Amino acid sequence: MKKLIKLMVLFLFCTQIANAQDKINVLEKIKANKIPDPYYVLETDSIIHFKGKRYLMEFREFFNGNQFDKIAIWKPIGYLEFSNVEIAKSKKFMQLFNTKPIIQASITDAYHININGKIFLMISRNVKLKEIYYFNRKFPKELYILKYK
């Protein structure tokens, strides 16, 4: 009986530790696509160099208190910005760019991050700049960057 109680207490303690996650306040989410080697970019393009590869910044989502604020989308003429008021008029816009009105992110452990209920493997984390780099398994050529407070 005592062993059973000890096991139950140990189980409860372990589940509480496993559920402990560091919630982060997301300021910006960046999606960038891998650039093939012979592809030349314009001076106006935003290029991210990460682990010896170049990525073209496709769009940037800005958040205020984990609430969607605005989005900047890359076009050959530059970046087009849309506010949450403009986007709220069209639900298809949110679906097209796979944006969510609220982002909930938490660091589960040293290697994983939970974003809106999906767990991603962190490739790199810069604590000084407060940036997290990760890939989506379904789209390995897309680099995602979370900037947080």
Side-chain angles (χ1 to χ4, degrees), residues 1 23 27 54 84 113:
M1 185 68 168
K23 292 189 178 189
L27 300 175
R54 298 181 311 156
N84 61 351
I113 184 166

Side-chain angles (χ1 to χ4, degrees), residues 11 28 65 86 90 127 138:
F11 176 74
E28 185 177 350
E86 295 169 325
S90 172
V127 179
K138 294 180 183 177

Side-chain angles (χ1 to χ4, degrees), residues 23-28 63-67 105 147-149:
K23 292 189 178 189
I24 57 175
N25 188 9
V26 178
L27 300 175
E28 185 177 350
F63 296 91
N64 187 4
N66 289 342
Q67 299 271 342
K147 295 184 179 185
Y148 61 95
K149 233 191 242 186

Side-chain angles (χ1 to χ4, degrees), residues 28 30-33 42-48 55-62 71-82:
E28 185 177 350
I30 298 171
K31 177 187 170 192
N33 289 324
L42 302 173
E43 291 179 10
T44 58
D45 293 341
S46 296
I47 305 300
I48 299 169
Y55 294 87
L56 175 66
M57 194 180 307
E58 184 179 339
F59 68 81
R60 300 168 70 178
E61 295 176 68
F62 298 93
I71 188 169
I73 303 167
W74 177 85
K75 295 292 179 192
I77 58 171
Y79 284 90
L80 302 176
E81 288 194 15
F82 300 96

Side-chain angles (χ1 to χ4, degrees), residues 56-129:
L56 175 66
M57 194 180 307
E58 184 179 339
F59 68 81
R60 300 168 70 178
E61 295 176 68
F62 298 93
F63 296 91
N64 187 4
N66 289 342
Q67 299 271 342
F68 181 77
D69 192 30
K70 66 180 178 177
I71 188 169
I73 303 167
W74 177 85
K75 295 292 179 192
I77 58 171
Y79 284 90
L80 302 176
E81 288 194 15
F82 300 96
S83 69
N84 61 351
V85 175
E86 295 169 325
I87 293 173
K89 297 175 185 175
S90 172
K91 291 182 181 179
K92 290 182 181 179
F93 189 92
M94 298 286 272
Q95 292 172 349
L96 180 64
F97 291 101
N98 196 19
T99 60
K100 306 283 185 208
I102 298 174
I103 188 166
Q104 296 175 348
S106 58
I107 299 170
T108 56
D109 58 28
Y111 304 106
H112 296 91
I113 184 166
N114 185 343
I115 301 170
N116 290 339
K118 294 182 182 177
I119 296 184
F120 298 97
L121 178 66
M122 286 191 286
I123 304 301
S124 178
R125 181 177 177 193
N126 189 333
V127 179
K128 275 188 178 178
L129 296 177

